[in-house]
Amino acid sequence: ARGGVIDEDALVRALDSGIVAQAALDVFTKEPPAPDSKLVLHENVTVTPHLGASTVEAQEGVAIEIAEAVIGALKGELAASAVNAPMVPAEVLSELAPYVVLAEKLGRLAVQLVAGGGGIKSVKVTYASARAPDDLDTRLLRAMITKGLIEPISSVFVNLVNADFTAKQRGVRITEERILLDGSPETPIDYIQVHIAHVESKFPSAISESGEITVEGKVKDGIPHLTKVGSFQVDVSLEGSLILCRQVDQPGMIGAVGSVLGEENVNVSFMSVGRIAPRKHAVMAIGVDEEPKKSTLTKIGEIPAIEEFVFLKL
């Protein structure tokens, strides 16, 4: 069927002990398997190079499935087969293209804010739009948020086909809600929020008043922007990588952090500061072109008024 269905290490032990006499495999957990794979080299194992579909019967079956899928697509139906992605009309795909990029980057950013990166079980996605629910197809966006959440913490490649299955397999429950806004429905989405509940954050300021890690983004002039972290409003383009700092809101902080990055030859592309009230606490979001060295980030953390910071690779 697919690599990973068989526990390969357990199969080798079963073959060595005689519990299993012979094994024949066409697929493997890692393809191609390593040259020194104990399973491939085992004297009681026969292997073929993932060619199970290369039979007359298999090719005929695939041809019928393709023909049925094409007929359904021409009728405007969603693809029913599990191996096909949901059909999205070309005009919808074109309109949502920048939001697709935003969705993946918000997911990728949010998961990096989770302490340890794992243990995610509950994710809520909020879409704010002036469009009626039946006039906004969010399946693409949901899949891309899932991709952003899961790929940084696993070796799984996530796409439209397997996004929901992969999330379910990892025990991640993703729910969606929509906020209906007043205004023109010309813009499909005003903003997207990603909330991760019941986890600790490596950047506690990302925890909103609801107790969840919260990030929000918008598309501005076709470019995805981060507009909120926790309860702090920011505005920084989601390009390259980000440094988030929480500091005492006082004069000279931008210069202090900027000087450290300048001395270390790290180019700053964008910078935004969000605060709840003057002279209290603020969050600085800094876009950088290069990944700073650990020593550079340590110097930022040593600035007296910096209370916490995190580097996020997008």
Side-chain angles (χ1 to χ4, degrees):
R2 289 291 181 268
V5 173
I6 293 291
D7 182 330
E8 295 180 357
D9 292 337
L11 179 56
V12 170
R13 293 194 298 270
L15 286 161
D16 289 340
S17 65
I19 294 173
V20 173
Q22 294 280 338
L25 300 173
D26 184 50
V27 291
F28 306 89
T29 301
K30 181 180 178 181
E31 295 184 351
D36 59 349
S37 167
K38 293 182 179 180
L39 187 62
V40 173
L41 297 177
H42 201 285
E43 62 180 356
N44 293 331
V45 172
T46 302
V47 297
T48 49
H50 203 149
L51 44 69
S54 300
T55 65
V56 172
E57 294 82 1
Q59 292 298 305
E60 180 180 344
V62 169
I64 292 172
E65 286 186 15
I66 291 174
E68 291 174 343
V70 169
I71 292 170
L74 292 173
K75 290 180 178 179
E77 300 172 356
L78 294 176
S81 174
V83 298
N84 288 292
M87 191 198 77
V88 180
E91 61 272 18
V92 174
L93 183 60
S94 176
E95 182 181 48
L96 290 181
Y99 299 93
V100 167
V101 177
L102 171 65
E104 180 178 358
K105 291 196 173 185
L106 285 177
R108 189 172 294 272
L109 190 153
V111 74
Q112 291 180 77
L113 290 169
V114 177
I120 299 174
K121 298 299 179 185
S122 178
V123 179
K124 182 177 71 175
V125 184
T126 302
Y127 310 99
S129 174
R131 291 189 179 179
D134 58 355
D135 193 28
L136 180 62
D137 190 334
T138 61
R139 290 172 298 174
L140 273 173
L141 304 176
R142 175 191 174 99
M144 295 309 289
I145 288 170
T146 304
K147 177 181 175 73
L149 285 167
I150 292 177
E151 282 192 346
I153 58 174
S154 74
S155 59
V156 177
F157 176 76
V158 182
N159 54 37
L160 288 177
V161 178
N162 67 0
D164 284 345
F165 173 77
T166 303
K168 184 177 180 180
Q169 192 176 43
R170 295 182 67 88
V172 180
R173 182 173 180 266
I174 300 177
T175 60
E176 297 173 292
E177 72 171 12
R178 304 188 188 195
I179 297 175
L180 185 60
L181 304 176
D182 293 329
S184 172
E186 291 182 6
T187 300
I189 297 172
D190 184 70
Y191 63 81
I192 300 173
Q193 291 181 342
V194 177
H195 312 266
I196 303 179
H198 312 304
V199 293
E200 295 183 3
S201 177
K202 64 176 68 172
F203 186 70
S205 294
I207 302 291
S208 63
E209 294 177 357
S210 64
E212 303 166 319
I213 290 178
T214 300
V215 293
E216 176 187 292
K218 295 185 177 184
V219 171
K220 298 184 178 184
D221 299 321
I223 298 173
H225 280 240
L226 175 67
T227 54
K228 193 172 185 180
V229 177
S231 300
F232 293 88
Q233 300 285 344
V234 295
D235 188 359
V236 61
S237 173
L238 288 174
E239 300 175 89
S241 299
L242 287 178
I243 299 172
L244 296 178
C245 303
R246 188 185 77 172
Q247 74 267 0
V248 177
D249 185 33
Q250 64 184 38
M253 293 307 302
I254 293 176
V257 176
S259 295
V260 170
L261 294 173
E263 291 169 1
E264 298 294 330
N265 198 33
V266 177
N267 195 45
V268 175
S269 54
F270 300 94
M271 183 176 287
S272 173
V273 177
R275 61 186 184 178
I276 296 176
R279 301 283 181 166
K280 297 296 183 180
H281 294 92
V283 165
M284 188 187 320
I286 309 163
V288 292
D289 292 336
E290 302 87 18
E291 181 173 350
K293 294 183 292 187
K294 289 184 178 180
S295 59
T296 303
L297 295 173
T298 299
K299 288 182 180 179
I300 291 175
E302 290 173 348
I303 297 173
I306 297 291
E307 297 177 325
E308 61 184 16
F309 70 94
V310 66
F311 173 73
L312 306 169
K313 193 170 184 179
L314 300 175

